[in-house]
Amino acid sequence: SAGWCQQEEVCSKSVINSCGDCIRSGPHCVWCQQLNFTKVGAQEAVRCDTRAQLIARGCPVEEIIAPENLVDIVELLLSHRRAEGYPVDLYYLMDLSYSMKDDLAQVKGLGRDLFRALNKITQHGQIGFGAFVDKTVLPYTNTNKEKLEKPCDQKDQQCQPAFGYTHVLSMTKSADEFGKKVSEQFISGNLDSPEGSLDAMMQAAVCGEKIGWRNSSTRLIVLTTDAGFHMAGDGKLAGILEPNDKQCHMARNIYTKSSEMDYPSVGQLATVLEKNNIQLIFAVTKNVEAVYKELSKMIPKSEVGTLQSDSSNVVALIENAYNRLSSKVTLSHDNLPDDVRVVYTPMCTNSGPPGENEGVCDNVGVQEQISFKITVTASSCMTDKSFTIRPQGIRDTLTVMLSTTCDCQCENPSEEFHSHCNYNGSTDCGICRCREGFLGQFCECSAGVKDEQSLQQTCRRDNGTVCEGRGDCVCGRCQCHTTESGTSYHGEFCECDDDHCEKFQNKQCGGNGKCNCGKCECSDGFEGSACQCKTSQDGCRTASNTVCFGRGDCECNRCKCHGGYQPPNCLTCLGCPDQCQAKNCIECQGFDSGPFKKNCSEACSASIRSNLVQKFSLSGKECHRKDSEGCWITFKLDQLPGKDNYYAEIYDMRGERLHFIVTE
């Protein structure tokens, strides 16, 4: 039957001066408030450990303080109904490079069709229009003066000067106005194939007042193009080094920083679109469809549709893409505090799997109500922390406030001056709180009463510096100072701090563990001196399903071989004794003679098992040695997993004395 083991509970504690410090250290840390639990001279931190450890050291169960809500799991139920007739703002952003000439001619007559399609979705629709080509500098655009003025083919008379991004029409409900403005547009041109579409989308997203986005609408950008896109870093080709700042730079409806600021990165664009609740529809030709599908994977709430070569299907494409976007509800969160975990469980007909980053319900019909169960787990103490949950592409948000109760509710004696504290202080969760003028674990010290030199000596480790120079010796015990980072030195002699552990990728303990007294204590699933490795033995397993052939340890998914065994899997050994030196065991096992004859099983069976053969089946080196009787014996050894573990094949005939010649 399959076995199982329960993971051992561990209390990873650092600086513990009170019950509150203890229970904040981790979900398995509890406190013993028994008055006489701490031995004289011991740190009060021994009161803090797992429940099992405290009971094993003699703390009565009724004296253990363990608040119930150290790990607090809260379940929320969020309902959502897909609305009918929700306001929609659609911004048509068109590539006007020369290859889109046929498409522009088609779009000039699409105004009423676009509004007709929008009216199927909502009675509160608006449409805007913008155009882009690329930055008007080399190597993207020919900067010859005549070519800047007319970058198209010389035969084409209707050609507008080169430009980066132009906002043509703010949101309008008028199909006539849309048609009029679009009809005034002409094709332009540039040199290279990728265009400045990311520049245009960034400005369309952040220049809300100019575009006319409404606060309560579903916002869509429809990008039509037949080419790829430039992105962050490409600006270096033109000597443009200033990173994109995600700000609006529009004057007279023209992007003014086109030739001064680099293209945005995909990550910047995705962040801005999500912040402004804008959804993207990529209406692109077949030749670049794969490129934009990859881009869509990195931008939440975006869809890709295949545009016919002259854009004649753009209306149907937009309608279908919108239906896909609006029928898929994705719930996610922002500004999640540290030590808080969120799991979304969709409760709908077409639900995605439960997940920590998002919850998804697909193919949601109009007026269909769906629900999400949201489980929030806090693994540490916190007060008035918050984060937001919202459906992607919708402005509505839910703010979740988090507070945990991590104070110890101890049953303290009522005496102001308790006998446990030598009548010089009161008890608080088992610890003495001394009145002014008294010090010590049990308030046993009064300033100037004890010999100062003897008190100082107890604060020296190996006759070294008092409290390692990191604390003060008070009544024979070190009271540690605060480190530069604001934490405290700790340990009996203040020898420990939690600020100087090994780093990985510039993070202490790789961000996957806690630093305790200069050593990393790794979280579950991580290992290594800097918690830099995920716990795994896959890279150490051999074809025989052993780990490092039993001759090494698997550390960070790599074999750390013992002795002279060599990586990667500790198969071979450099500097190990010659295997042929095992002739004494071979002689006693094969021919019942030699120095091990009387104790052969005792001396050899643990390391070598053998068979007599007439023909070798093992590969590798043949060993030829004279035995104790002067005869030649021939054998082969195969090392099995483990350090001293061999299988031998022994040729069943021994060579005659002085007449058996072997060449090696």
Side-chain angles (χ1 to χ4, degrees):
S1 61
W4 65 276
C5 61
Q6 186 175 359
Q7 186 174 358
E8 183 181 359
E9 293 183 350
V10 176
C11 172
S12 299
K13 53 189 178 180
S14 53
V15 182
I16 305 297
N17 293 315
S18 67
C19 178
D21 290 342
C22 174
I23 64 174
R24 288 180 174 86
S25 295
H28 302 303
C29 293
V30 297
W31 180 263
C32 181
Q33 67 170 349
Q34 186 184 30
L35 290 181
N36 294 312
F37 184 74
T38 307
K39 297 179 180 178
V40 175
Q43 298 285 326
E44 295 292 356
V46 300
R47 295 178 176 274
C48 183
D49 215 319
T50 63
R51 182 185 294 270
Q53 289 291 336
L54 291 180
I55 292 175
R57 296 208 304 268
C59 183
V61 174
E62 62 272 14
E63 297 285 359
I64 292 177
I65 304 299
E68 293 292 331
N69 64 335
L70 282 173
V71 177
D72 192 9
I73 300 177
V74 180
E75 291 188 354
L76 306 173
L77 193 62
L78 181 65
S79 296
H80 172 84
R81 187 189 298 273
R82 182 181 167 194
E84 186 175 14
Y86 198 80
V88 176
D89 290 338
L90 187 152
Y91 191 67
Y92 199 98
L93 189 54
M94 186 170 184
D95 177 1
L96 287 188
S97 58
Y98 192 74
S99 58
M100 294 288 287
K101 183 177 179 181
D102 292 343
D103 302 77
L104 177 60
Q106 186 73 34
V107 172
K108 286 182 177 182
L110 285 182
R112 294 195 179 279
D113 291 339
L114 280 171
F115 272 97
R116 194 176 298 115
L118 201 58
N119 286 337
K120 292 180 183 179
I121 300 168
T122 178
Q123 297 299 314
H124 308 286
Q126 294 188 149
I127 296 181
F129 187 86
F132 66 92
V133 182
D134 208 347
K135 298 182 184 297
T136 56
V137 293
L138 284 171
Y140 321 114
T141 303
N142 191 332
T143 56
N144 179 282
K145 184 177 180 181
E146 292 181 0
K147 277 294 184 180
L148 282 175
E149 290 298 320
K150 189 179 180 182
C152 312
D153 192 293
Q154 291 295 325
K155 298 177 182 179
D156 199 318
Q157 297 303 313
Q158 291 184 320
C159 178
Q160 63 173 312
F163 67 96
Y165 162 65
T166 301
H167 170 56
V168 177
L169 175 67
S170 298
M171 293 294 172
T172 179
K173 296 180 180 180
S174 171
D176 291 336
E177 186 179 6
F178 180 85
K180 178 177 179 297
K181 285 290 186 180
V182 176
S183 66
E184 295 172 357
Q185 299 305 303
F186 298 107
I187 212 70
S188 186
N190 63 326
L191 289 176
D192 63 345
S193 177
E195 315 296 6
S197 49
L198 266 61
D199 263 349
M201 286 187 284
M202 177 63 76
Q203 292 302 299
V206 297
C207 298
E209 292 185 3
K210 294 185 179 294
I211 304 300
W213 299 116
R214 290 176 289 182
N215 288 334
S216 58
S217 65
T218 295
R219 302 172 176 183
L220 301 174
I221 291 179
V222 178
L223 181 83
T224 60
T225 184
D226 63 352
F229 51 88
H230 283 296
M231 56 185 168
D234 288 357
K236 292 181 180 179
L237 296 172
I240 301 173
L241 304 178
E242 183 179 351
N244 196 284
D245 63 2
K246 300 187 293 183
Q247 302 299 314
C248 179
H249 299 287
M250 299 285 290
R252 296 185 297 278
N253 291 334
I254 295 174
Y255 176 34
T256 59
K257 293 280 188 177
S258 176
S259 300
E260 303 171 24
M261 189 175 291
D262 196 6
Y263 303 95
S265 68
V266 174
Q268 284 180 312
L269 181 63
T271 299
V272 166
L273 291 171
E274 187 173 8
K275 178 181 177 182
N276 290 281
N277 300 295
I278 297 173
Q279 304 174 59
L280 270 178
I281 297 175
F282 296 112
V284 298
T285 50
K286 187 70 176 177
N287 62 306
V288 291
E289 178 185 16
V291 173
Y292 282 90
K293 282 188 174 179
E294 290 301 312
L295 177 60
S296 179
K297 292 177 183 178
M298 294 182 278
I299 299 181
K301 297 298 286 184
S302 62
E303 280 286 336
V304 179
T306 306
L307 194 66
Q308 293 181 5
S309 58
D310 61 354
S311 294
S312 57
N313 69 325
V314 69
V315 175
L317 186 153
I318 294 172
E319 188 175 351
N320 292 336
Y322 173 78
N323 285 332
R324 290 195 299 271
L325 283 171
S326 60
S327 66
K328 183 178 181 180
V329 178
T330 303
L331 216 60
S332 60
H333 54 259
D334 294 313
N335 305 317
L336 193 68
D338 293 337
D339 298 329
V340 175
R341 178 171 171 258
V342 179
V343 175
Y344 299 92
T345 305
M347 302 169 68
C348 51
T349 304
N350 298 289
S351 61
E356 294 190 21
N357 296 319
E358 62 181 26
V360 177
C361 280
D362 211 348
N363 298 321
V364 180
V366 174
Q367 296 300 319
E368 179 183 349
Q369 182 167 329
I370 58 175
S371 299
F372 294 86
K373 185 174 78 170
I374 306 168
T375 304
V376 182
T377 304
S379 58
S380 65
C381 299
M382 58 191 65
T383 303
D384 295 334
K385 298 289 186 180
S386 67
F387 66 99
T388 56
I389 296 174
R390 64 185 178 88
Q392 292 180 2
I394 299 175
R395 293 184 64 84
D396 298 337
T397 62
L398 170 68
T399 300
V400 180
M401 300 296 298
L402 291 175
S403 291
T404 58
T405 302
C406 290
D407 295 327
C408 293
Q409 304 297 322
C410 296
E411 298 178 2
N412 296 319
S414 58
E415 293 92 335
E416 183 178 359
F417 303 111
H418 198 278
S419 59
H420 179 70
C421 305
N422 290 290
Y423 299 102
N424 294 319
S426 59
T427 61
D428 179 13
C429 290
I431 297 178
C432 285
R433 303 299 182 193
C434 304
R435 61 173 172 161
E436 187 176 355
F438 290 88
L439 304 168
Q441 183 179 3
F442 304 109
C443 306
E444 71 276 19
C445 294
S446 178
V449 171
K450 289 195 174 182
D451 176 69
E452 184 66 23
Q453 187 174 358
S454 62
L455 288 176
Q456 291 284 319
Q457 190 60 36
T458 62
C459 295
R460 301 176 187 271
R461 181 171 64 164
D462 299 328
N463 290 325
T465 307
V466 172
C467 300
E468 300 287 306
R470 296 172 167 181
D472 301 317
C473 186
V474 179
C475 200
R477 299 183 72 200
C478 289
Q479 289 190 352
C480 301
H481 297 159
T482 302
T483 67
E484 293 180 1
S485 66
T487 60
S488 294
Y489 294 107
H490 58 98
E492 185 178 355
F493 302 100
C494 305
E495 70 275 14
C496 293
D497 73 76
D498 300 335
D499 297 332
H500 296 89
C501 279
E502 187 175 342
K503 292 185 177 181
F504 177 68
Q505 293 183 343
N506 207 31
K507 293 181 180 178
Q508 188 161 257
C509 300
N512 302 315
K514 292 182 178 179
C515 180
N516 185 13
C517 200
K519 291 186 178 181
C520 290
E521 295 177 349
C522 301
S523 304
D524 291 343
F526 291 91
E527 63 179 352
S529 58
C531 305
Q532 72 274 25
C533 309
K534 287 189 176 180
T535 304
S536 174
Q537 292 187 334
D538 293 345
C540 300
R541 292 211 167 269
T542 66
S544 59
N545 200 31
T546 65
V547 175
C548 307
F549 280 106
R551 299 190 279 272
D553 300 316
C554 190
E555 296 182 5
C556 280
N557 209 20
R558 292 185 179 181
C559 288
K560 186 176 181 181
C561 300
H562 300 158
Y565 289 96
Q566 300 298 300
N569 51 19
C570 311
L571 176 61
T572 59
C573 179
L574 297 180
C576 289
D578 185 0
Q579 295 180 354
C580 295
Q581 293 182 11
K583 75 178 184 71
N584 289 337
C585 284
I586 297 298
E587 183 179 358
C588 78
Q589 288 185 356
F591 305 105
D592 193 26
S593 63
F596 290 164
K597 176 180 178 180
K598 293 183 179 180
N599 63 337
C600 188
S601 59
E602 202 174 293
C604 303
S605 63
S607 58
I608 298 177
R609 62 180 182 85
S610 60
N611 282 321
L612 287 172
V613 298
Q614 294 182 348
K615 184 178 181 181
F616 291 120
S617 63
L618 295 178
S619 59
K621 176 183 177 182
E622 283 188 11
C623 295
H624 305 282
R625 292 289 185 271
K626 278 188 176 182
D627 64 11
S628 60
E629 297 176 2
C631 293
W632 288 96
I633 56 176
T634 305
F635 59 95
K636 283 189 176 185
L637 280 177
D638 180 28
Q639 188 171 17
L640 303 175
K643 188 174 180 182
D644 295 310
N645 187 18
Y646 296 89
Y647 168 69
E649 288 185 347
I650 308 170
Y651 187 61
D652 64 358
M653 297 290 291
R654 287 192 285 183
E656 292 184 3
R657 198 174 300 178
L658 302 178
H659 295 288
F660 192 80
I661 301 175
V662 178
T663 58
E664 294 187 278

